[in-house]
Amino acid sequence: MGGSCAQRRRAGRRQVLFLFLLPLFYPALCEPIRYSIPEELAKGSVVGNLAKDLGLSVVDVSARKLRVSTEKLLFNIDAESGDLLVKDRIDREQICKERRCELQLEAVVENPLNIFHITVIVEDINDHAPQFDKEEILLEISESVSEGARISLDPATDLDINMNSVKDYQINPNPYFSLMVRVNSDGSKYPELSLEKLLDREQQHSHHLILTALDGGNPPRSATTRIEISVRDANDNFPVFSKDEYRISVSENLPPGSSVLQVTATDKDEGVNAEVNYYFRSTAQRTRYMFSLDEKTGMIKNNQSLDFEDIERYTMEVEARDGGGLSTQCKVVIEILDENDNRPEVIITSLSDEILEDSLPGMVVVLFKTRDKDFGANGEVMCNIGKDIPFKIYSSSNNYYKLVTDGPLDREQTPEYNVTITATDKGNPPLSSRTTITLHITDVNDNTPIFHQASYVVHVMENNPPGASIAQVSASDPDLGPNGHVSYSIVASDLEPRALASHVSVNTQSGVVFAQRAFDHEQLRAFELTVQARDQGSPALSANVSLRVLVGDRNDNAPRVLYPALGPDGSALFDTVPRAAQPGYLVTKVVAVDADSGHNAWLSYHVLQASEPGLFSLGLRTGEVRTARALGDRDAARQRLLVAVRDGGQPPLSATATLHLVFADSLQEVLPDIGDRPEASDPQAELQFYLVVALALISVLFLLAVILAIALRLRRSSSPAAWGCFQPGLCVKSGPVVPPNYSEGTLPYSYNLCVAHTGKTEYNFLKCSELLHSTQDIVCSDSPGALIPLQSGHDLTTHPEMLTPQAPPNTDWRFSQAQRPGTSGSQNGDETGTWPNNQFDTEMLQAMILASASEAADGGSTLGGGAGTMGLSTRYGPQFTLQHVPDYRQNVYIPGSNATLTNAAGKRDGKAPAGGNGNKKKSGKKEKK
């Protein structure tokens, strides 16, 4: 350990000493060491003793780690001797591209570290022979080249330099060429051929030489290449055409692109001088546009179709030029032969715009001419037209023709004619052309309008909306314009002229027939119109057609019960039946009428309610009421039947009738029984009563408001007498209550609210009689809706009929004046056949409501009205009595007999017809003595 430390200290001291001594040797060390060696030395060859040249001992070579650093590992150091050795093959041409090749090396030693620069010069040796770029050199020399002319040749190359590079060139001996070597400024040498004798292509057209390149090595190296010399001919001959002038005739039908003519020129020269090209010279532009010339072959072709009619002959000049620029010319003439290739033309010079269909034969309608561009017979034209048309052709001078009419014309049958004119020439084969002209025939008003139907029948259901279209008539007129424009109008009718405008109208343009009002089958069943269709021609033509309008029936009328009916004073009637009546006994007959017709008036009778079901039977179609069995001991003497009468419409309409039947052998037995028991209220009557009450609700509210105002005023006056009429005993069940006398200006009616006797809590407005006199009494009945008038001096005990409730007003049987009722839908009128004028449905409804309300509010009026008015006094006035109503009781059987009710003279007098046995009585009235 101690020894090693001492060695280290000594080495350190030597290094420090070397660093101090290094500047003294620095100038010598900066000079590079130079070696020179030939290329291609064998591996391991000694370049020089590097250790000795660096001043190093053999021991220092390994101790100081002497080594060489180069880019390419071409050299290395022998560790034992310190020699610089060749490590790899050294090729100067590969390593160095320049003439001088110097390799720079760096020698490195350590302890201390130092770097030395070494230069190795590689000397060239003759290891490469000269080389030509081409194995054969091709030359072309014109025979006209003069003597002494020089031709440069491509030099040879040699990778060696200096003396080893190319030094000389040689060629084989020949009488025509010699070799000259030219030295450039950079020392490079180039070979040149020198022409020693004029060339003659006709004697020898080619020459073959061998060029040799020699370098300066020892021994020298060489390379050879062949030289092929072709003698080019001189242009000493002109081209010559086979003809001075070419003439040819071709058809004008020759297709485009066809060969027309080929010109030919020859040249005695050879090669380029013998190659002849052809060109147009001094030729019109139009000809050049029509024809094309092949420059190589001299073939002339047509570019477009030839046309004799355009140009008959083409003349052109063609030039032949060889490769040396010598040329000659020839003339070409092409004549065009005419062919029948043009079709005749038809030229319309005049065409008539208006050809009336009533034109006479011989009228000129078209003037035309023909034209054919061909020559001779190819240009002669003939014309004709088709058959079966009312026209023909007349020939005129100078190829002019005229087309005239040759028969009658009818625009409606043939509105236009397409006339085809065929023009044919006389060529072979002949050509033809067709021209079609359209001749329009002008219309004349020679056709009357024609309806599409001989007559029209229209079915319109009644109650149609006003303004709706009910039919459309249509007529056609084959004429045109105003002559065929049809307008419609109504020219006649079986209706009155004033009524016609209010019933129907027709649209003048479309022929649509409109209903101006709602039709009523019961008033107007059918009417007939005459509609006229008229055109706008001059003179105008027209045609008529019959239009029959049938008004169909709707089920818009409910059945009307004619019997049983209320008495003249508004009281209900009753029928008496013998107590001993056997089953099948004819008690009475319900007679009803329906203003509709057909199934809508087919009536059927049904029992809705009966006091004793099974006691009576009702005929479904006859309405006859018969006893179904004998009267029993437990059966009540007084019976009530509620009968419904329905029609056959869809939906069906119905009406009700109430029959009051009393079993008694005499009239004296009937009256006390009727007076003791109030009759059950009729449901239909109650409904009608409530309807009346509802309609009078506004009036009641108004009256209550007035009464309330009066009560407040009386209350302020604090008069006890003023409250007398509002005491609780004003309307009682047990007896009559007499209201205070009313003077002028007070309310003429009194309304009271009473509780019904039946035990049900019902509210009924009880109506008191009109106070015509201050002594009249007012009685309120227990039955809902029933009021019995009580005159002054009458007693309720002596007049039991006053306790009988009066039936409420029934408006089902009311009908308008426009309806003509008949038995079971019959449409028989009265004896005079006249009825009052019809009123609209709205007026009828308003009139019925006002009449019902008026009768409900009027204490002195009854629903029945006066005798013979059938309760229509307030609706239609006193002039409409029973004399306007047909006898609908002609089939009513008198109970217990074979007689029927007839329209007696009393009907005309407004009296109720008397019963056969006097068994038809008023309910609640005694028989007058």
Side-chain angles (χ1 to χ4, degrees):
M1 178 69 70
S4 62
C5 292
Q7 292 177 359
R8 291 179 180 176
R9 284 194 297 267
R10 285 194 300 267
R13 285 195 296 266
R14 285 197 300 267
Q15 292 178 357
V16 172
L17 180 62
F18 178 80
L19 293 176
F20 282 103
L21 295 177
L22 183 62
L24 299 177
F25 298 99
Y26 182 77
L29 294 177
C30 291
E31 291 293 333
I33 300 175
R34 304 177 68 88
Y35 296 102
S36 178
I37 61 172
E39 63 175 336
E40 302 292 343
L41 284 179
K43 294 181 180 180
S45 299
V46 177
V47 177
N49 193 331
L50 182 60
K52 181 180 180 181
D53 295 335
L54 292 177
L56 299 177
S57 63
V58 177
V59 178
D60 292 335
V61 172
S62 58
R64 298 185 65 179
K65 298 180 181 180
L66 177 64
R67 61 184 181 275
V68 178
S69 175
T70 61
E71 294 180 357
K72 297 181 180 180
L73 300 179
L74 299 177
F75 304 93
N76 60 1
I77 300 296
D78 187 355
E80 294 180 357
S81 63
D83 293 335
L84 180 65
L85 304 179
V86 177
K87 184 180 179 181
D88 198 357
R89 175 176 177 268
I90 299 176
D91 187 358
R92 191 202 64 81
E93 291 77 17
Q94 183 179 3
I95 297 174
C96 301
K97 304 299 181 181
E98 301 177 354
R99 294 182 178 273
R100 186 176 181 83
C101 185
E102 294 181 357
L103 300 180
Q104 302 295 329
L105 305 179
E106 293 179 354
V108 181
V109 293
E110 296 181 358
N111 300 319
L113 180 64
N114 198 2
I115 298 175
F116 302 93
H117 297 281
I118 302 171
T119 301
V120 179
I121 300 173
V122 180
E123 300 292 341
D124 180 54
I125 64 174
N126 191 19
D127 57 347
H128 292 87
Q131 184 178 0
F132 287 98
D133 293 338
K134 298 179 181 179
E135 296 180 356
E136 183 177 10
I137 299 175
L138 300 178
L139 298 177
E140 185 177 359
I141 304 175
S142 177
E143 62 177 339
S144 61
V145 176
S146 61
E147 295 180 2
R150 292 187 178 187
I151 302 172
S152 296
L153 299 177
D154 293 334
T157 59
D158 195 333
L159 296 178
D160 296 329
I161 60 175
N162 298 329
M163 294 302 294
N164 296 327
S165 63
V166 177
K167 293 299 181 178
D168 193 12
Y169 294 93
Q170 297 176 0
I171 62 172
N172 59 316
N174 65 89
Y176 291 97
F177 297 96
S178 63
L179 184 64
M180 304 291 292
V181 177
R182 179 171 57 88
V183 180
N184 290 338
S185 59
D186 58 353
S188 59
K189 297 179 180 181
Y190 291 88
E192 291 182 350
L193 288 178
S194 177
L195 183 61
E196 301 294 336
K197 183 180 179 179
L198 293 179
L199 300 175
D200 188 356
R201 185 192 61 80
E202 288 74 21
Q203 293 181 4
Q204 187 176 355
H205 59 84
S206 64
H207 298 270
H208 303 281
L209 302 177
I210 300 297
L211 177 62
T212 303
L214 299 173
D215 60 15
N218 189 14
R221 295 192 176 204
S222 64
T224 61
T225 182
R226 297 189 305 272
I227 300 177
E228 296 291 338
I229 300 176
S230 298
V231 181
R232 188 173 59 198
D233 181 55
N235 189 23
D236 53 356
N237 293 284
F238 287 88
V240 178
F241 282 100
S242 60
K243 294 181 181 179
D244 292 338
E245 180 177 334
Y246 293 87
R247 184 178 295 270
I248 190 173
S249 298
V250 295
S251 173
E252 63 176 337
N253 292 336
L254 188 68
S258 301
S259 299
V260 178
L261 176 65
Q262 184 175 16
V263 294
T264 304
T266 60
D267 195 321
K268 294 181 180 180
D269 294 325
E270 293 183 358
V272 178
N273 296 329
E275 295 179 359
V276 180
N277 293 331
Y278 303 90
Y279 307 95
F280 279 127
R281 180 180 180 184
S282 301
T283 303
Q285 188 67 27
R286 185 174 184 179
T287 302
R288 295 187 179 187
Y289 182 74
M290 181 63 66
F291 296 96
S292 62
L293 176 62
D294 192 307
E295 296 182 357
K296 298 298 182 181
T297 62
M299 179 64 68
I300 299 176
K301 297 182 180 181
N302 60 328
N303 297 328
Q304 296 181 349
S305 299
L306 304 176
D307 191 356
F308 171 82
E309 291 74 27
D310 188 13
I311 297 178
E312 300 179 5
R313 181 183 294 104
Y314 292 92
T315 301
M316 62 194 76
E317 288 186 1
V318 178
E319 179 185 40
R321 185 184 307 163
D322 61 16
L326 301 180
S327 63
T328 185
Q329 296 83 28
C330 72
K331 184 177 182 181
V332 178
V333 178
I334 301 176
E335 295 183 352
I336 309 302
L337 300 179
D338 180 46
E339 298 289 344
N340 190 22
D341 57 345
N342 291 280
R343 297 181 182 275
E345 299 180 32
V346 176
I347 302 173
I348 306 298
T349 60
S350 177
L351 177 62
S352 179
D353 295 334
E354 182 175 340
I355 305 175
L356 297 178
E357 58 180 330
D358 57 353
S359 299
L360 297 177
M363 176 183 175
V364 179
V365 295
V366 179
L367 184 63
F368 65 94
K369 67 177 181 179
T370 60
R371 180 177 61 184
D372 196 324
K373 296 181 180 180
D374 292 327
F375 181 76
N378 296 333
E380 297 181 6
V381 181
M382 298 179 297
C383 293
N384 57 70
I385 60 175
K387 299 180 180 180
D388 300 330
I389 56 175
F391 300 97
K392 64 180 179 180
I393 290 180
Y394 283 108
S395 177
S396 181
S397 61
N398 198 15
N399 293 331
Y400 273 88
Y401 299 86
K402 56 183 178 180
L403 182 67
V404 300
T405 57
D406 190 34
L409 303 176
D410 187 0
R411 190 208 65 81
E412 288 72 34
Q413 183 177 1
T414 307
E416 63 182 20
Y417 290 91
N418 293 322
V419 180
T420 301
I421 302 175
T422 303
T424 306
D425 60 22
K426 296 182 179 180
N428 186 20
L431 299 178
S432 62
S433 64
R434 293 183 179 182
T435 300
T436 301
I437 57 176
T438 301
L439 302 178
H440 299 278
I441 309 302
T442 304
D443 181 61
V444 176
N445 192 23
D446 56 349
N447 292 276
T448 59
I450 300 175
F451 283 95
H452 296 169
Q453 298 181 18
S455 62
Y456 293 84
V457 177
V458 180
H459 296 270
V460 182
M461 299 302 293
E462 64 174 335
N463 301 330
N464 58 287
S469 61
I470 60 175
Q472 182 177 12
V473 296
S474 180
S476 59
D477 194 325
D479 294 327
L480 286 179
N483 297 333
H485 185 72
V486 179
S487 60
Y488 303 90
S489 62
I490 299 176
V491 296
S493 174
D494 56 358
L495 298 175
E496 294 182 3
R498 295 182 179 180
L500 176 62
S502 64
H503 279 73
V504 292
S505 65
V506 63
N507 188 290
T508 58
Q509 301 299 325
S510 62
V512 178
V513 181
F514 296 94
Q516 298 297 106
R517 61 181 299 174
F519 297 145
D520 190 355
H521 173 79
E522 290 75 30
Q523 182 181 4
L524 181 64
R525 293 193 174 186
F527 59 92
E528 188 169 346
L529 307 173
T530 300
V531 181
Q532 184 182 82
R534 186 183 184 87
D535 60 25
Q536 306 298 322
S538 180
L541 301 178
S542 61
N544 297 336
V545 70
S546 175
L547 173 64
R548 183 171 180 79
V549 181
L550 302 179
V551 181
D553 180 57
R554 292 183 185 273
N555 191 26
D556 57 345
N557 291 280
R560 301 293 183 264
V561 178
L562 302 181
Y563 186 84
L566 298 178
D569 55 355
S571 60
L573 303 179
F574 63 92
D575 295 292
T576 59
V577 183
R579 294 182 179 274
Q582 298 299 319
Y585 176 81
L586 178 62
V587 177
T588 184
K589 181 177 181 180
V590 179
V591 179
V593 64
D594 196 319
D596 296 323
S597 61
H599 285 280
N600 295 332
W602 193 9
L603 303 181
S604 61
Y605 301 86
H606 309 273
V607 177
L608 293 182
Q609 185 178 2
S611 301
E612 293 291 341
L615 184 57
F616 298 97
S617 63
L618 178 63
L620 179 63
R621 298 300 177 187
T622 62
E624 295 178 352
V625 180
R626 297 177 181 271
T627 57
R629 59 179 176 83
L631 181 66
D633 295 337
R634 297 183 179 181
D635 294 332
R638 184 174 180 273
Q639 298 291 331
R640 176 178 173 274
L641 288 178
L642 181 60
V643 178
V645 183
R646 297 192 184 96
D647 58 20
Q650 291 296 333
L653 301 178
S654 63
T656 59
T658 303
L659 299 179
H660 299 277
L661 306 178
V662 179
F663 286 89
D665 294 331
S666 62
L667 187 60
Q668 288 74 12
E669 299 178 9
V670 177
L671 294 179
D673 182 67
I674 294 176
D676 294 338
R677 291 186 304 172
E679 184 179 355
S681 61
D682 187 357
Q684 184 67 21
E686 291 180 1
L687 294 176
Q688 295 174 355
F689 175 76
Y690 291 139
L691 177 62
V692 173
V693 172
L695 294 174
L697 181 59
I698 298 176
S699 300
V700 171
L701 294 177
F702 173 74
L703 292 176
L704 290 178
V706 174
I707 292 173
L708 181 60
I710 295 174
L712 294 176
R713 184 174 181 181
L714 291 178
R715 185 175 181 181
R716 286 196 300 269
S717 63
S718 301
S719 174
W723 295 88
C725 61
F726 298 100
Q727 299 301 322
L730 181 61
C731 184
V732 297
K733 300 179 182 179
S734 58
V737 177
V738 179
N741 296 334
Y742 291 92
S743 60
E744 295 182 0
T746 61
L747 293 174
Y749 307 108
S750 176
Y751 295 88
N752 299 277
L753 184 63
C754 299
V755 180
H757 180 70
T758 59
K760 296 185 295 180
T761 303
E762 297 180 356
Y763 294 93
N764 301 278
F765 289 100
L766 302 183
K767 178 181 64 179
C768 298
S769 301
E770 183 179 358
L771 301 180
L772 300 176
H773 303 284
S774 60
T775 58
Q776 291 179 343
D777 300 332
I778 297 178
V779 177
C780 297
S781 173
D782 295 344
S783 300
L787 290 178
I788 301 176
L790 180 62
Q791 298 180 0
S792 178
H794 291 179
D795 188 1
L796 295 177
T797 57
T798 59
H799 298 278
E801 65 277 8
M802 292 186 176
L803 297 176
T804 303
Q806 183 179 356
N810 189 344
T811 59
D812 288 346
W813 58 273
R814 297 183 182 273
F815 54 92
S816 64
Q817 294 180 3
Q819 296 168 336
R820 301 182 180 181
T823 305
S824 298
S826 64
Q827 298 298 323
N828 299 330
D830 59 1
E831 297 175 359
T832 61
T834 61
W835 286 77
N837 293 331
N838 184 27
Q839 298 186 10
F840 294 142
D841 295 342
T842 304
E843 297 177 357
M844 292 169 57
L845 180 59
Q846 293 176 356
M848 292 173 62
I849 294 174
L850 293 175
S852 301
S854 176
E855 291 176 1
D858 189 358
S861 63
T862 61
L863 189 59
T869 64
M870 299 181 63
L872 301 175
S873 60
T874 60
R875 174 65 180 87
Y876 298 104
Q879 70 276 11
F880 184 65
T881 61
L882 283 177
Q883 63 182 353
H884 301 290
V885 182
D887 184 9
Y888 299 111
R889 290 175 291 178
Q890 56 185 347
N891 295 327
V892 178
Y893 291 91
I894 299 176
S897 67
N898 296 328
T900 60
L901 296 177
T902 60
N903 187 11
K907 174 183 177 183
R908 298 287 186 182
D909 298 338
K911 298 178 181 180
N917 295 328
N919 58 348
K920 308 300 180 193
K921 298 298 181 180
K922 299 179 182 179
S923 177
K925 291 290 184 177
K926 286 186 178 182
E927 183 182 3
K928 295 185 179 179
K929 301 292 184 175

